[in-house]
Amino acid sequence: MLAELIAAAHRQTESRRADASLAEVEERARQAPVVRDFGAALRAPVLGVIAELKPRSPLKGPLTDDYRPAELARRYEAGGAAALSVLAHTEGFGGRPEDLATVRAAVELPIMRKDFIVDEYQVAEARAYGADAVLLVVSALSPERLSQLYAYAESLGLHILVEVHSEEEARTAVALGAVNIGVNHRDLRDFRIDLGLTARLRTQVPADRVLVAESGVRDAADARRLRADGADAVLVGETLMRAPDRTAAVADLIKAHPDTGAHAHTDTDEPKQETS
């Protein structure tokens, strides 16, 4: 499915490029509102929550029958979210780049374009619509393209969250100079969840980098475990999208702190199937 999602990102980009050239989008990016500090928002005494907005999942289908990004963003903000992740991938997740502008106008939080970014056009488009950060997935890019897109995003003043799923990818992100590194617990090849991955990769990431735990966070107990494992923040999508009270759901995750009841990790921790 990873290859299909990447191919869809290429198709979406080419379709949008037919309506507006990269030069036009870059001009809009230069006129966009000032960038909010995504990385600083995740450095706090409490666990940072990046609350995700997405109408559906390629695995689970529709997550809501009433997707209103502005209202959803305001609910997340009221719950204390540190930042927002807005899906802009249309075929797989039902999002649109225009949703970034809608959310930007509704809240004061930093906003990240969540997508399979494969082209400078998507990066410029993110800034043009008011995004403060973009996601770059190591497994979706060659080392050369990863470096090029990272440098291009920096040139536009954007923050970057570099997503990894293995020790090798974590080393790649660190060598790249990534300040914000996300550990995706979901294997994008078979979509199994391994919540113990954050603890194992924490040792590969210098303490001065922001570490974000992504996917599989179901409740405050999972958030508490990941905080104990060294995560500075968690990125949560499906759990919040399905919550009956999204404001309260965000607040519950933020309250999670390591305690004596935190999960003790052993080499017997096995990957498992879970929600995202």
Side-chain angles (χ1 to χ4, degrees):
M1 184 176 286
L2 175 59
E4 294 175 7
L5 292 169
I6 292 172
H10 280 290
R11 287 193 296 271
Q12 179 175 327
T13 299
E14 291 312 306
S15 175
R16 297 181 68 87
R17 199 195 310 268
D19 294 329
S21 69
L22 176 59
E24 291 174 298
V25 176
E26 287 178 328
E27 178 58 31
R28 285 166 40 210
R30 285 190 285 270
Q31 299 172 12
V34 64
V35 172
R36 296 166 180 165
D37 198 331
F38 177 83
L42 306 182
R43 296 180 183 274
V46 298
L47 182 70
V49 173
I50 305 173
E52 189 157 275
L53 297 83
K54 57 183 178 182
R56 60 183 168 88
S57 158
L59 287 179
K60 305 295 181 64
L63 301 176
T64 178
D65 57 5
D66 185 24
Y67 187 61
R68 290 182 284 178
E71 179 179 339
L72 182 57
R74 285 191 286 265
R75 290 182 182 274
Y76 286 160
E77 184 176 47
L84 301 178
S85 169
V86 179
L87 258 297
H89 189 286
T90 303
E91 286 189 37
F93 298 89
R96 307 179 308 148
E98 289 81 1
D99 294 338
L100 294 163
T102 299
V103 172
R104 174 78 187 212
V107 297
E108 298 299 321
L109 299 177
I111 299 163
M112 178 178 75
R113 176 176 182 159
K114 180 82 174 290
D115 206 335
F116 289 95
I117 289 180
V118 293
D119 193 284
E120 283 81 0
Y121 191 94
Q122 294 165 285
V123 178
E125 194 175 48
R127 182 80 278 267
Y129 280 114
D132 308 290
V134 292
L135 179 77
L136 295 179
V137 180
V138 173
S139 63
L141 298 163
S142 69
E144 181 181 13
R145 285 303 284 147
L146 175 65
S147 179
Q148 289 169 346
L149 289 169
Y150 191 95
Y152 182 72
E154 283 193 316
S155 76
L156 295 180
L158 286 161
H159 294 252
I160 304 113
L161 178 62
V162 178
E163 180 179 292
V164 304
H165 184 72
S166 68
E167 290 188 2
E168 181 180 0
E169 290 181 358
R171 289 192 291 270
T172 295
V174 171
L176 183 66
V179 176
N180 308 299
I181 297 175
V183 175
N184 191 347
H185 302 130
R186 174 172 283 114
D187 189 327
L188 294 175
R189 297 167 299 180
D190 58 20
F191 293 96
R192 296 182 74 197
I193 292 285
D194 178 5
L195 212 63
L197 193 59
T198 287
R200 298 198 296 277
L201 296 191
R202 174 76 266 188
T203 61
Q204 303 296 318
V205 178
D208 62 345
R209 315 292 174 94
V210 171
L211 189 69
V212 179
E214 308 173 34
S215 297
V217 181
R218 302 160 300 179
D219 50 34
D222 284 342
R224 182 166 56 249
R225 167 185 176 172
L226 292 166
R227 181 64 162 174
D229 287 345
D232 299 294
V234 290
L235 189 154
V236 187
E238 182 183 337
T239 294
L240 295 179
M241 288 299 305
R242 294 192 185 279
D245 185 337
R246 289 156 175 162
T247 297
V250 172
D252 285 344
L253 293 173
I254 294 169
K255 293 173 185 174
H257 290 282
D259 58 25
T260 54
H263 182 83
H265 302 295
T266 70
D267 291 337
T268 61
D269 277 352
E270 295 290 339
K272 54 189 176 181
Q273 298 280 2
E274 295 182 12
T275 59
S276 61

